[in-house]
Amino acid sequence: MRSTFMGLEIGRRSIITHQATLDITGHNVANANTPGYTRQVASIQTTAPYAAPSMYNIQPGQFGTGVMVGEIRRLRDEFIDMQIRNESQASGYWEAMQTTLDTIEMILNEPGDQGLRAVLDGLWEAWQSLSESPESDAVREVVKERGMAVADAFHHMYNQLIALRRDLNSQVKAKVEEINSIARQLADVNGQIKAVILSEQVPNDLLDRRDLLLDKLSRLVDAQIIIESNETATVLIGGAPLVMGGRTVSLGLNTDSDGMYQVVWDLDPESHPGTVITGRPAGSADMEVVINSGELSGLLEARGF
């Protein structure tokens, strides 16, 4: 026989459920400007009916017992995430290339009245004048001055291009440090997600944090991302693991004779987590990282290998 308090219990469950939906709405509004946040929605479902089927059940049918929040879902599409990350890799590569080419254009100052072409045109004009008046000391002096101006222009541009290459090399180091930092954060978030999943809860905010880190990483390097069944992320670069569960393999940097960095896997077991510079010359036993896209690839290609 149904309890006389069943109606009160149904009302209580309804209030609790709809209060939870209001709390979720408030959480969405509060995080409207939070980077990486994904809107959440409550999945409402009925509670278990009364009474359970049995041979002694003489009720005319099952009575509803109210409503509950079955789960809190993120309104996010993993397929779209994958497409965006793939395009982010190409976008990061081309933006790095564009920034470098814009800088080179400023160094060459072309097109412009003070660029290399203008200096060379002045030299050709001086030579033309000299061919017409080879005996003129004044014209000869002009040729000499114009030639020195061309040499100075080439020397100045060379120094600026060398400085640009060194700056790009420094940026390679900074990007490797950033990739290692993101990898360590991902490993930490993976551990937290795994713990929440084991407790049979849904770590929506942690998943947002995971996806934000993956988005940042995808812009830096062509990472292959695998979302495991326990919602942790495995990240591969060139087929080799960068992040697996709570473990990471750091990227390192070897240097050649010109001081240019080569990105390698830092497989030194004695290195500390987050170590970037391996301190070994290029050509040592470290395995080179295969990088085909992303900002890091653009910087390496613009700098020159």
Side-chain angles (χ1 to χ4, degrees):
M1 181 176 180
R2 298 176 62 216
S3 169
T4 56
F5 292 98
M6 182 65 72
L8 294 176
E9 178 63 18
I10 292 175
R12 186 185 73 86
R13 290 178 178 178
S14 176
I15 292 173
I16 292 175
T17 299
H18 289 89
Q19 179 62 54
T21 61
L22 289 176
D23 291 340
I24 294 170
T25 300
H27 186 56
N28 290 334
V29 173
N31 288 279
N33 297 318
T34 301
Y37 180 76
T38 302
R39 188 161 63 91
Q40 301 175 11
V41 62
S43 177
I44 300 177
Q45 65 186 46
T46 58
T47 54
Y50 175 85
S54 70
M55 63 181 297
Y56 301 107
N57 185 2
I58 59 174
Q59 300 289 343
Q62 288 186 319
F63 292 94
T65 58
V67 67
M68 63 179 290
V69 175
E71 64 173 332
I72 301 174
R73 297 184 294 107
R74 296 192 309 154
L75 299 181
R76 188 157 184 150
D77 192 315
E78 290 187 4
F79 176 77
I80 294 177
D81 281 344
M82 180 179 65
Q83 299 302 313
I84 290 175
R85 288 167 189 154
N86 288 338
E87 294 303 320
S88 292
Q89 296 171 10
S91 176
Y93 170 84
W94 288 112
E95 284 190 13
M97 291 293 290
Q98 180 184 7
T99 301
T100 303
L101 293 173
D102 287 344
T103 305
I104 292 175
E105 184 178 12
M106 293 177 60
I107 292 174
L108 298 178
N109 199 16
E110 296 292 351
D113 297 333
Q114 305 298 322
L116 182 61
R117 185 183 65 177
V119 177
L120 289 173
D121 287 345
L123 178 62
W124 307 142
E125 291 173 1
W127 276 108
Q128 180 65 32
S129 298
L130 182 62
S131 67
E132 297 171 355
S133 304
E135 74 285 350
S136 173
D137 291 338
V139 175
R140 292 180 181 180
E141 188 64 27
V142 170
V143 173
K144 176 183 176 182
E145 292 296 329
R146 296 283 174 82
M148 293 176 61
V150 170
D152 288 343
F154 275 112
H155 185 68
H156 178 67
M157 290 179 184
Y158 172 80
N159 288 336
Q160 287 187 303
L161 290 172
I162 290 297
L164 174 60
R165 189 167 189 243
R166 290 172 179 168
D167 179 65
L168 291 172
N169 196 47
S170 298
Q171 291 184 51
V172 168
K173 176 184 176 182
K175 295 302 178 184
V176 169
E177 291 175 340
E178 186 175 354
I179 290 171
N180 282 338
S181 174
I182 291 175
R184 292 193 296 272
Q185 293 177 64
L186 266 174
D188 180 64
V189 171
N190 277 345
Q192 296 180 57
I193 289 174
K194 184 177 180 180
V196 175
I197 293 293
L198 288 175
S199 66
E200 299 183 352
Q201 299 293 320
V202 181
N204 286 327
D205 291 337
L206 286 174
L207 295 178
D208 286 343
R209 177 63 176 163
R210 179 203 68 188
D211 288 341
L212 179 60
L213 291 171
L214 292 175
D215 291 343
K216 291 180 178 179
L217 185 62
S218 296
R219 188 170 186 81
L220 294 173
V221 69
D222 54 326
Q224 179 186 356
I225 299 168
I226 303 171
I227 304 300
E228 307 291 352
S229 58
N230 61 357
E231 297 295 342
T232 61
T234 296
V235 180
L236 309 176
I237 299 179
L242 176 71
V243 179
M244 292 187 68
R247 296 177 296 141
T248 65
V249 179
S250 296
L251 300 183
L253 294 173
N254 288 343
T255 56
D256 61 16
S257 57
D258 296 326
M260 297 295 108
Y261 294 128
Q262 178 190 41
V263 184
V264 297
W265 292 106
D266 190 358
L267 303 177
D268 185 356
E270 297 180 357
S271 63
H272 299 287
T275 298
V276 174
I277 302 298
T278 65
R280 293 186 289 274
S284 62
D286 291 322
M287 182 174 65
E288 185 175 357
V289 182
V290 179
I291 303 172
N292 297 314
S293 191
E295 285 187 43
L296 184 56
S297 176
L299 291 172
L300 288 170
E301 187 170 335
R303 182 206 66 184
F305 294 95

